[in-house]
Amino acid sequence: MGTDNQTWGSDFILLGLSSDWDAQIFLFVLFLVMYMVTMLGNCLIVLLIRLDSRLHTPMYFFLTNLSLVDVSYATSIVPQLLAHFLAEHKAISLQSCAAQLFFSLALGGIEFVLLAVMAYDRYVAVCDPLRYSAIMHAALCAKLAITSWVSGSINSLMHTTITFQLPMCTNKFIDHIFCEILAVIRLACVDTSSNEVTIMVSSIVLLMTPLCLVLLSYIRIISTILKIQSREGRRKAFHTCASHLTVVALCYGMAIFTYIHPHSSPSVLQEKLISLFYAILTPMLNPMIYSLRNKEVKGAWKKLLWKFSGLTSKLAT
């Protein structure tokens, strides 16, 4: 790696997943379909919650935020990835790279905090149901949602600013599918161990702190559920948390593996696959998890489809 140029250049080259043309065409079709399913699923969840008054509760208010985060996260990465599958020259400008790094980090951080907020909501619902409406009032829900968005954005702004102030070598090849922070830092001409420590520390604050809150919430939730006498009551109480717990396991598990110990990542390929998991698979699965495991959402779907079929019949006649 050369060290002649100590400034950030005008553009970078993303190496992506494969240089084989047939493989790129296959991946383009696969990820395009997954991206369309992601957009459709999350947008329908938001629309459904908006249209059905029975879903105007704190839980679904936070779920709306989660769907918006998922749509935004996927959109910050996947369209550029799809375009590069069909392009011979996989370039990305400095400004686009910085914006992509900022939004991917911000939205990832927002999701972690938001999942902790949703865990607190479930804790109140299960452990203090009689005061649920009084505790989880609209003003508190709005403040918790704003805190999620602001904390993730501030963390991302700090990392993006620090990263692009590093002196860069002449190498402009980013061995990743997008401008991921660890991949961009590798382009620097200086020792980046302090940056990696900063990433680890902020990950502990923004990732492990919400995770601890999630764990504490579920310890109390499980303790309360076990005290319920009837089996049906225990089943119903656990069912209200099952979807959220599944999403928590998916999101936090991969993040801890990636960012808490950056040096321990076995390969760049694994980093790419984990990024794909976050950019495409998780946003696509989240609305499915909440739809398939939630009776209220399934009931709302049936109600909406019934209304739509009735409207269609009227128009046909």
Side-chain angles (χ1 to χ4, degrees):
M1 182 184 298
T3 59
D4 302 333
N5 185 2
Q6 296 293 316
T7 60
W8 293 93
S10 58
D11 57 26
F12 304 99
I13 306 297
L14 290 165
L15 298 183
L17 284 172
S18 173
S19 57
D20 180 74
W21 178 251
D22 292 334
Q24 290 186 78
I25 294 298
F26 170 76
L27 291 172
F28 172 83
V29 174
L30 175 64
F31 293 148
L32 176 61
V33 171
M34 294 176 72
Y35 179 62
M36 292 173 67
V37 172
T38 297
M39 296 296 290
L40 179 64
N42 283 285
C43 290
L44 284 176
I45 284 285
V46 173
L47 180 64
L48 183 69
I49 293 171
R50 179 70 178 174
L51 294 178
D52 196 315
S53 59
R54 295 175 301 175
L55 301 182
H56 293 174
T57 64
M59 175 182 174
Y60 295 104
F61 169 73
F62 295 130
L63 180 56
T64 298
N65 278 265
L66 183 64
S67 290
L68 293 174
V69 169
D70 283 339
V71 166
S72 302
Y73 191 93
T75 302
S76 71
I77 295 172
V78 180
Q80 168 256 305
L81 178 65
L82 294 173
H84 280 186
F85 280 136
L86 302 180
E88 183 177 350
H89 188 62
K90 298 173 175 53
I92 182 170
S93 67
L94 171 64
Q95 292 77 15
S96 297
C97 186
Q100 192 176 64
L101 193 152
F102 170 78
F103 284 112
S104 61
L105 271 182
L107 293 163
I110 292 166
E111 183 159 5
F112 295 138
V113 180
L114 194 58
L115 288 173
V117 169
M118 294 173 77
Y120 175 72
D121 171 72
R122 294 299 84 205
Y123 159 74
V124 177
V126 174
C127 300
D128 201 358
L130 297 180
R131 295 201 306 142
Y132 178 75
S133 298
I135 296 173
M136 298 303 295
H137 52 83
L140 177 62
C141 292
K143 289 177 182 177
L144 291 172
I146 291 170
T147 299
S148 302
W149 286 85
V150 170
S151 58
S153 299
I154 291 175
N155 175 72
S156 179
L157 181 62
M158 177 189 71
H159 281 301
T160 303
T161 303
I162 292 173
T163 298
F164 284 93
Q165 285 180 347
L166 291 170
M168 175 196 154
C169 299
T170 54
N171 177 32
K172 296 184 179 182
F173 293 92
I174 300 177
D175 194 3
H176 212 282
I177 60 171
F178 75 103
C179 288
E180 194 267 346
I181 185 167
L182 295 177
V184 174
I185 283 176
R186 294 190 189 105
L187 300 182
C189 292
V190 294
D191 180 15
T192 59
S193 56
S194 60
N195 295 80
E196 293 178 5
V197 170
T198 303
I199 293 171
M200 186 175 69
V201 171
S202 69
S203 297
I204 291 172
V205 173
L206 198 64
L207 198 161
M208 296 304 293
T209 302
L211 178 58
C212 289
L213 294 175
V214 170
L215 293 176
L216 287 173
S217 296
Y218 275 102
I219 288 171
R220 294 293 301 274
I221 288 170
I222 292 170
S223 175
T224 301
I225 290 175
L226 292 177
K227 293 177 183 177
I228 298 175
Q229 297 298 320
S230 68
R231 179 178 297 180
E232 178 62 23
R234 289 195 299 269
R235 188 198 65 80
K236 184 178 180 181
F238 180 76
H239 190 74
T240 63
C241 306
S243 299
H244 176 255
L245 198 55
T246 304
V247 174
V248 165
L250 287 172
C251 291
Y252 281 102
M254 284 293 181
I256 291 170
F257 179 80
T258 306
Y259 291 110
I260 297 302
H261 294 294
H263 286 299
S264 65
S265 300
S267 68
V268 173
L269 178 60
Q270 277 201 351
E271 288 182 8
K272 294 178 183 180
L273 294 177
I274 291 170
S275 295
L276 285 172
F277 177 87
Y278 272 113
I280 299 180
L281 196 58
T282 299
M284 184 180 72
L285 291 177
N286 283 353
M288 296 181 185
I289 291 170
Y290 278 100
S291 296
L292 296 175
R293 298 186 62 89
N294 193 300
K295 288 184 179 180
E296 292 176 323
V297 174
K298 286 191 285 188
W301 278 124
K302 291 177 182 178
K303 181 181 176 181
L304 183 63
L305 290 173
W306 181 80
K307 284 185 177 180
F308 181 75
S309 61
L311 179 62
T312 304
S313 300
K314 288 182 181 180
L315 291 175
T317 57

